Amino acid sequence: AQKITQTQPGMFVQEKEAVTLDCTYDTSDPSYGLFWYKQPSSGEMIFLIYQGSYDQQNATEGRYSLNFQKARKSANLVISASQLGDSAMYFCAMREGWAAGNKLTFGGGTRVLVKP
Amino acid sequence: DSGVTQTPKHLITATGQRVTLRCSPRSGDLSVYWYQQSLDQGLQFLIHYYNGEERAKGNILERFSAQQFPDLHSELNLSSLELGDSALYFCASSEGTGAGGGPVTEAFFGQGTRLTVV
């Protein structure tokens, strides 16, 4: 069963505008973490933001924020004031607890292209 | 810079050959994870080592093996290579266990090794 779903294979966004990348997940583990990564064309995986399942507030890191809706099992990434350098693949990932091996399970990714 | 070092960055080899990919985790991290990113399979977890011991296995082929050494660096060995093994191989490291058995809250990746099998 697909544990992490990213329904948007690709999207365009105008420079300086905000963009929301969708991510839904599926787990029966009450303790889990959600991650977003950016992968530019150079290939490296850059950690952006983390949200724990017990965190009361939505995570924020600079221009990145995570819209965590636990009941809906969604963890959407919001990038504010898009920049040309934000053009990249974005991956949502989930990590369950130690008993599940602590591995990251990734979604299929969303390619973002920022237009000037 | 994530602090995770992978070598080599690029590797081109022929079918049937064997290669070794190396990963040095961030200082103090006990856990090392290996992932494979291919066009058709996406990002897939291969294996997790914690303080020298295998902790979890994912979709790792029998032709592939890994180990973590006493200095905590890890190696991923790929043998009898096939064209379909061409992929980007990532190593990630983290501190080890999460609080109360929960998930570890960090995961920093190396720059990856791009393997091309010809």
Side-chain angles (χ1 to χ4, degrees), chain B residues 58-108:
Chain B
N59 299 321
I60 187 165
L61 300 171
E62 285 193 13
R63 299 184 285 109
F64 296 1
S65 65
Q67 53 185 328
Q68 186 179 27
F69 295 87
D71 67 351
L72 301 177
H73 92 270
S74 178
E75 293 180 356
L76 180 66
N77 300 296
L78 314 176
S79 61
S80 303
L81 284 166
E82 302 175 359
L83 296 177
D85 298 327
S86 296
L88 192 50
Y89 290 85
F90 285 106
C91 163
S93 76
S94 63
E95 59 187 3
T97 59
V104 175
T105 62
E106 57 185 13
F108 293 95

Side-chain angles (χ1 to χ4, degrees), chain A residues 31-33 35 37 39 41-47 50 53 91 95-107, chain B residues 31 33 35 37 43-45 48 50 55-56 88 90 94 96-98 101-111 114:
Chain A
S31 180
Y32 54 90
F35 298 74
Y37 287 88
Q39 187 177 40
S41 57
S42 51
E44 70 265 36
M45 293 289 285
I46 301 168
F47 168 70
Y50 168 82
S53 59
F91 291 95
R95 168 177 267 161
E96 293 162 303
W98 184 249
N102 251 310
K103 63 181 184 292
L104 285 169
T105 302
F106 286 86
Chain B
S31 274
Y33 310 79
Y35 294 85
Q37 185 179 28
L43 269 156
Q44 300 261 322
F45 166 72
H48 169 202
Y50 173 73
R55 181 66 185 84
L88 192 50
F90 285 106
S94 63
T97 59
V104 175
T105 62
E106 57 185 13
F108 293 95
F109 281 70
Q111 292 196 310
R114 188 171 296 278

Side-chain angles (χ1 to χ4, degrees), chain A residues 3-39:
Chain A
K3 286 198 165 188
I4 296 282
T5 303
Q6 294 181 252
T7 57
Q8 307 151 308
M11 55 199 308
F12 288 98
V13 59
Q14 200 66 41
E15 191 179 10
K16 299 180 186 176
E17 290 186 352
V19 60
T20 298
L21 308 183
D22 296 340
C23 173
T24 57
Y25 60 91
D26 184 30
T27 181
S28 57
D29 193 336
S31 180
Y32 54 90
L34 298 156
F35 298 74
W36 277 92
Y37 287 88
K38 171 184 178 181
Q39 187 177 40

